[in-house]
Amino acid sequence: AQSVTQLGSHVSVSEGALVLLRCNYSSSVPPYLFWYVQYPNQGLQLLLKYTTGATLVKGINGFEAEFKKSETSFHLTKPSAHMSDAAEYFCAVREGQAGTALIFGKGTTLSVSS
Amino acid sequence: GAVVSQHPSWVICKSGTSVKIECRSLDFQATTMFWYRQFPKQSLMLMATSNEGSKATYEQGVEKDKFLINHASLTLSTLTVTSAHPEDSSFYICSARDLGGGKQYFGPGTRLTVT
């Protein structure tokens, strides 16, 4: 069975600092991996996804993530945090087939201080 | 890009009543829609998978008689919370899978408060 573990329920950074949100997955087949962002009382917005091919994936708002099969990880990074990045971030996995549902991690709250 | 809408966005109902939430794919056809529930400060939990023209598949622990799902067309799925109780208060989010490309798109969510 597939699962997702997000290390750290809450991450705090200063504006301009590096953002690193950790995600490890478990999957019996090559996974499709996703990062979503959720602002208060809003739905999910897709930041980026990995399906096949290049393991370094660039997304919106300056975020990127690297798929490391040997480490079963898909950590999300951003070189310089902005106040507007403060939100809830979810890592999700899907076992390949497009018809199956996404399984989400518990989420990481990112706080950005000035 | 593809858009999924949910209606209503916010609903308050009294305990014991039923509430229907609609999920629509606005510019694509979706044979499969997924319903998630998100409690405050928690992750999204898959409730059920809805396939057009057939019965929904419910995840373990989700009462199918309480959470009625109907997927009558390629653009509409509905979730009805029957005999709602305060513990059903949650954020309900649907996701629709594009028939053409296979991508999944999320709706904006519906916040249900049962008093």
Side-chain angles (χ1 to χ4, degrees):
Chain A
Q2 53 191 327
S3 65
V4 176
T5 302
Q6 290 184 240
L7 299 176
S9 60
H10 197 160
V11 171
S12 296
V13 300
S14 299
E15 193 172 21
L18 171 71
V19 175
L20 171 61
L21 304 183
R22 300 177 186 276
C23 173
N24 287 88
Y25 70 90
S26 172
S27 178
S28 58
V29 300
Y32 286 11
L33 295 160
F34 305 79
W35 274 101
Y36 285 87
V37 61
Q38 184 181 35
Y39 296 99
N41 295 314
Q42 295 187 27
L44 299 176
Q45 182 179 4
L46 179 65
L47 278 177
L48 50 79
K49 65 179 179 181
Y50 167 80
T51 54
T52 59
T55 56
L56 181 62
V57 181
K58 295 186 183 298
I60 61 172
N61 301 340
F63 284 94
E64 62 182 36
E66 186 172 11
F67 169 61
K68 292 186 176 180
K69 183 178 178 180
S70 61
E71 300 177 6
T72 61
S73 69
F74 191 57
H75 302 329
L76 181 70
T77 61
K78 182 175 181 178
S80 177
H82 192 272
M83 297 293 286
S84 61
D85 294 327
E88 188 80 12
Y89 291 81
F90 293 97
C91 181
V93 64
R94 190 178 77 205
E95 286 189 335
Q97 295 176 13
T100 57
L102 274 67
I103 304 301
F104 288 85
K106 292 187 176 182
T108 298
T109 301
L110 175 65
S111 299
V112 183
S113 59
S114 57
Chain B
V3 177
V4 175
S5 71
Q6 285 186 236
H7 178 79
S9 57
W10 197 303
V11 57
I12 301 174
C13 71
K14 293 186 177 182
S15 185
T17 62
S18 295
V19 174
K20 179 184 286 188
I21 302 170
E22 293 185 348
C23 176
R24 293 182 184 272
S25 56
L26 297 184
D27 52 2
F28 65 97
Q29 292 183 324
T31 54
T32 303
M33 291 185 176
F34 304 98
W35 285 96
Y36 293 85
R37 179 169 53 187
Q38 183 182 30
F39 291 109
K41 304 294 184 181
Q42 296 188 30
S43 186
L44 282 77
M45 299 300 295
L46 179 65
M47 298 176 65
T49 301
S50 167
N51 293 296
E52 188 265 338
S54 64
K55 292 183 178 180
T57 302
Y58 290 82
E59 295 299 301
Q60 190 174 7
V62 178
E63 299 175 59
K64 63 179 181 180
D65 294 330
K66 180 171 183 60
F67 298 98
L68 302 179
I69 292 173
N70 183 278
H71 193 160
S73 77
L74 289 173
T75 60
L76 173 65
S77 176
T78 60
L79 168 68
T80 301
V81 182
T82 63
S83 186
H85 291 282
E87 57 264 32
D88 298 324
S89 298
S90 187
F91 197 47
Y92 292 87
I93 302 174
C94 74
S95 170
R97 175 186 167 230
D98 184 346
L99 175 62
K103 294 182 179 180
Q104 293 184 23
Y105 302 93
F106 282 85
T110 296
R111 184 163 300 284
L112 170 63
T113 301
V114 185
T115 60

